[in-house]
Amino acid sequence: MTQPVSDIWRLSEAQEEFDRRIVDLNSSGREVRPRSVARHAQRVARKLGRSTASSLLKTAPDMLKLRQKQDIEYKQRNFQRWRKAFELIDTLWVACEETGRKFNEYMRPQAVDDRDHVFEALTYLNSKVLLVSAEMICLMKGGFADGALARWRTIYELNVIAALLAQEGEMLARRYLAHSRVQAWERMKLAGDTNDLNLRDLKIKNDAEAALAVFGEDMTHFYGWAREITQSKRPNFASIEALVEHEHGRPLYKAASQHIHSNHRMPDELLGMSEAVAEGLLVGPSNSGMVTPLRLCAHSLVQSASTLMFRYPNIDRSAIVLAFVRLARKMDRLAMRIERRTLSTAGKATGLS
């Protein structure tokens, strides 16, 4: 519904008053120079800016109290709608975290004895997947399905890289682990932070120089650790993805990337606007569009856990992975069922169904 013109905040009252004063001065025969007008306009704007800032700070407590109340009420409605799915994703996350932590604790002594760099890389990647998936869950509970999907983009990259390291073995894992220090040192040099190094930064420098001595200058490139395996002078994520035949995930990966970049997207392309019955610009939370990020989060957690545990597979670990798979498949059905049922109920309540 379009607001009446009289109700729209025009943000032009001070400008109109200023213009009237200039017109009055001109009408009185006084010479008004453009430079003087510009200086006076700046003074008026500064004075008005100070008073507006003071007013905002004065009214902030009441405004924030109302906003916090609205936020709590929204989150309650969002959780009520998706409660079973949120509880399932929390269950899966906790199970994956506990399993990964205990697996790491149990297998680490053997991995250290074996100098198993693949295990080291996979435990790191699994921990990062758990961290980013926790961010996804937080965003979904907060009502930001598109933000959650954007974070899944990172999880997808982590799982693809984990699959490649598990596939290719020790040498590539060593390059991958060493690459972090080289990139950290490159960033420090770019920022000019190479003088008066503290002990931590000096260790980064020494580790980077040791990695470059062993693996060569390729490591200075962003995906330099994968340069040899991809046989590309400038490897990118797509070339890594192709090596593990994960191209089927690219459409979703590209969709998840849209919320990160600045290319134009029509408002109705947002997950948060997927159930909207009128046009609008989404600037806050929405309880729509959770199915895709819920499903992707669940399956990605399972993929990460399975890649890690199958480094040292046995029957027990296979059974745990299969249990996780069942939970992820349950999420597929549950999330879609919740969306259909709650949308139908809301439609009947509002007479829109």
Side-chain angles (χ1 to χ4, degrees):
M1 182 177 179
T2 305
Q3 286 182 287
V5 174
S6 59
D7 294 339
I8 296 175
W9 187 22
R10 293 177 294 127
L11 270 176
S12 60
E13 290 85 352
Q15 180 66 54
E16 291 170 358
E17 175 62 25
F18 183 82
D19 291 342
R20 282 193 294 270
R21 293 182 63 184
I22 297 300
V23 169
D24 291 344
L25 286 172
N26 284 326
S27 299
S28 68
R30 296 176 59 181
E31 182 182 3
V32 182
R33 296 177 181 179
R35 186 175 296 180
S36 297
V37 172
R39 284 200 299 266
H40 186 54
Q42 290 174 353
R43 287 195 295 269
V44 171
R46 283 196 294 269
K47 181 179 179 181
L48 186 58
R50 287 194 296 269
S51 64
T52 302
S54 177
S55 176
L56 284 171
L57 291 174
K58 185 177 180 179
T59 59
D62 290 338
M63 180 269 290
L64 293 176
K65 189 180 296 183
L66 175 61
R67 182 170 175 79
Q68 288 162 3
K69 179 176 181 293
Q70 292 170 339
D71 185 57
I72 291 170
E73 289 172 350
Y74 163 75
K75 286 179 178 176
Q76 288 173 342
R77 292 194 303 272
N78 188 43
F79 187 80
Q80 183 178 5
R81 181 181 189 187
W82 297 99
R83 180 179 61 82
K84 290 185 178 179
F86 286 158
E87 288 176 349
L88 180 58
I89 199 66
D90 281 341
T91 299
L92 184 56
W93 189 93
V94 171
C96 287
E97 188 278 330
E98 288 184 351
T99 301
R101 172 162 43 85
K102 291 177 180 178
F103 180 75
N104 179 35
E105 291 169 354
Y106 180 74
M107 294 306 308
R108 179 157 291 277
Q110 180 179 333
V112 170
D113 289 342
D114 294 345
R115 297 182 178 274
D116 188 346
H117 293 87
V118 175
F119 175 86
E120 185 67 26
L122 294 182
T123 53
Y124 161 75
L125 289 163
N126 179 249
S127 69
K128 189 70 180 290
V129 167
L130 286 163
L131 174 62
V132 181
S133 61
E135 295 170 2
M136 278 189 73
I137 294 168
C138 185
L139 285 164
M140 286 186 285
K141 289 179 178 178
F144 299 100
D146 293 278
L149 183 61
R151 293 306 289 133
W152 172 80
R153 177 183 187 270
T154 299
I155 296 177
Y156 178 77
E157 292 179 355
L158 294 168
N159 276 334
V160 166
I161 290 170
L164 180 64
L165 298 181
Q167 172 182 294
E168 298 299 328
E170 276 296 297
M171 183 53 68
L172 189 62
R174 288 181 60 198
R175 292 176 65 89
Y176 175 75
L177 293 169
H179 185 255
S180 170
R181 288 306 206 200
V182 176
Q183 290 298 296
W185 179 237
E186 290 296 310
R187 289 192 297 271
M188 289 169 62
K189 289 193 295 183
L190 188 64
D193 299 332
T194 57
N195 297 320
D196 301 323
L197 299 177
N198 58 35
L199 289 176
R200 174 183 171 277
D201 291 343
L202 186 60
K203 185 177 188 309
I204 290 174
K205 176 178 182 289
N206 292 337
D207 288 349
E209 291 176 346
L212 289 169
V214 174
F215 300 114
E217 291 297 318
D218 286 354
M219 298 286 277
T220 60
H221 298 290
F222 187 72
Y223 280 112
W225 60 271
R227 193 165 182 177
E228 186 176 303
I229 192 71
T230 58
Q231 297 181 345
S232 170
K233 290 184 178 180
R234 290 193 173 276
N236 55 27
F237 180 69
S239 61
I240 294 170
E241 189 181 39
L243 290 172
V244 289
E245 298 180 351
H246 264 257
E247 296 96 327
H248 61 277
R250 179 143 288 269
L252 275 171
Y253 177 73
K254 293 187 74 172
S257 302
Q258 294 304 304
H259 201 59
I260 297 172
H261 302 306
S262 57
N263 286 340
H264 179 60
R265 284 180 84 189
M266 294 299 290
D268 61 2
E269 295 176 27
L270 293 172
L271 293 175
M273 292 292 287
S274 60
E275 297 170 333
V277 295
E279 294 183 358
L281 297 174
L282 185 64
V283 298
S286 164
N287 65 15
S288 298
M290 299 296 172
V291 172
T292 296
L294 279 166
R295 294 174 64 186
L296 290 175
C297 187
H299 285 279
S300 296
L301 279 167
V302 175
Q303 183 181 349
S304 179
S306 62
T307 303
L308 174 61
M309 289 205 290
F310 286 162
R311 181 63 182 166
Y312 293 98
N314 64 20
I315 293 174
D316 302 81
R317 293 159 200 164
S318 296
I320 289 174
V321 169
L322 289 172
F324 291 170
V325 169
R326 289 177 67 88
L327 293 181
R329 289 176 177 169
K330 179 178 176 64
M331 179 64 79
D332 291 339
R333 301 186 298 272
L334 177 62
M336 288 190 290
R337 188 165 65 246
I338 290 172
E339 183 176 67
R340 285 195 300 266
R341 177 177 53 78
T342 54
L343 185 59
S344 174
T345 301
K348 291 175 182 177
T350 58
L352 295 175
S353 61

